[in-house]
């Protein structure tokens, strides 16, 4: 899953005019990246949306609830509520940063990419069950663009 998230993150960054960091995202060693769950593993914070912990866990592990972040960040913030993590996501890669409203201001490359791609990026002031579902759909749409036969053919020709 980490390589999938790395490839998707790299794709939206390159399409937004940011140099590729794919090798960094998949490298091992001291400065490696890890999968970050947007929701901390605290079922009790989601009792208003889930009646059973198993349902919460299944949702928490869906692709739209995941990011790749440096191991040091993940260790420091992974247990915090979303509202506390959100401001720190803004300082990370573009897929994480896109959760924050400020990502949509003064970011011409990313805004151009959104307009040209038609992808439904949007900020999330909170991250509830519906937000995770929307984000999963966004990830699916990113994957369809990234691995579309026409785009792959075009890339092979260049």
């Amino acid at each position: 899953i980490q390589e999938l998230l790395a490839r998707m993150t790299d794709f939206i960054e390159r399409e937004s005019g940011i140099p590729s960091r794919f090798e960094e995202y998949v490298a091992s060693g001291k400065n490696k990246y890890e999968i970050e769950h947007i929701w901390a593993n605290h079922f009790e914070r989601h009792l208003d949306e889930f009646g059973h912990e198993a349902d919460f866990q299944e949702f928490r592990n869906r692709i739209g609830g995941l990011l790749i972040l440096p191991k040091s960040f993940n260790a420091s913030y992974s247990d915090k509520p979303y509202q506390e993590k959100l401001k720190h996501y803004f300082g990370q890669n573009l897929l994480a940063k896109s959760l924050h409203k400020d990502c949509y201001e003064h970011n011409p490359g990313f805004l151009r990419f959104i307009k040209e791609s038609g992808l439904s990026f949007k900020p999330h002031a909170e991250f509830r069950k519906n937000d995770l579902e929307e984000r999963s759909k966004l990830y699916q749409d990113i994957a369809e663009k990234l691995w579309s036969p026409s785009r792959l053919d075009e890339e092979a020709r260049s």
Side-chain angles (χ1 to χ4, degrees), residues 90 97 99-107 123:
F90 187 69
K97 188 181 284 195
L99 290 162
H100 196 283
K101 66 179 176 54
D102 290 349
C103 186
Y104 301 83
E105 298 175 17
H106 311 293
N107 198 344

Side-chain angles (χ1 to χ4, degrees), residues 124-158:
H124 293 271
E126 58 181 8
F127 206 77
R128 299 184 51 80
K129 186 177 181 180
N130 187 58
D131 298 285
L132 198 150
E133 288 176 324
E134 287 178 4
R135 193 79 172 173
S136 292
K137 174 69 170 110
L138 171 65
Y139 283 22
Q140 178 183 344
D141 293 344
I142 292 168
E144 287 175 4
K145 286 217 180 290
L146 173 59
W147 287 291
S148 76
S150 60
R151 197 191 78 72
L152 293 173
D153 285 345
E154 184 179 307
E155 202 171 272
R157 284 191 291 264
S158 28

Side-chain angles (χ1 to χ4, degrees), residues 29-103:
K30 182 180 172 190
N31 296 319
K32 76 177 193 167
Y33 278 66
E34 294 182 331
I35 294 174
E36 153 83 350
H37 286 81
I38 294 173
W39 284 346
N41 193 12
H42 287 280
F43 168 60
E44 70 277 4
R45 294 179 187 166
H46 301 271
L47 291 173
D48 62 330
E49 294 190 291
F50 296 96
H52 300 285
E53 185 167 4
D55 296 334
F56 164 74
Q57 291 296 339
E58 185 271 324
F59 244 80
R60 179 177 180 264
N61 288 313
R62 288 186 179 180
I63 186 114
L66 305 175
L67 300 166
I68 53 166
L69 296 172
K71 181 178 182 176
S72 58
F73 178 96
N74 200 17
S76 298
Y77 293 98
S78 66
D79 206 39
K80 299 207 180 297
Y82 175 74
Q83 287 72 19
E84 289 182 40
K85 292 189 212 182
L86 181 59
K87 64 185 173 201
H88 300 288
Y89 286 157
F90 187 69
Q92 299 299 322
N93 63 60
L94 191 51
L95 192 59
K97 188 181 284 195
S98 70
L99 290 162
H100 196 283
K101 66 179 176 54
D102 290 349
C103 186

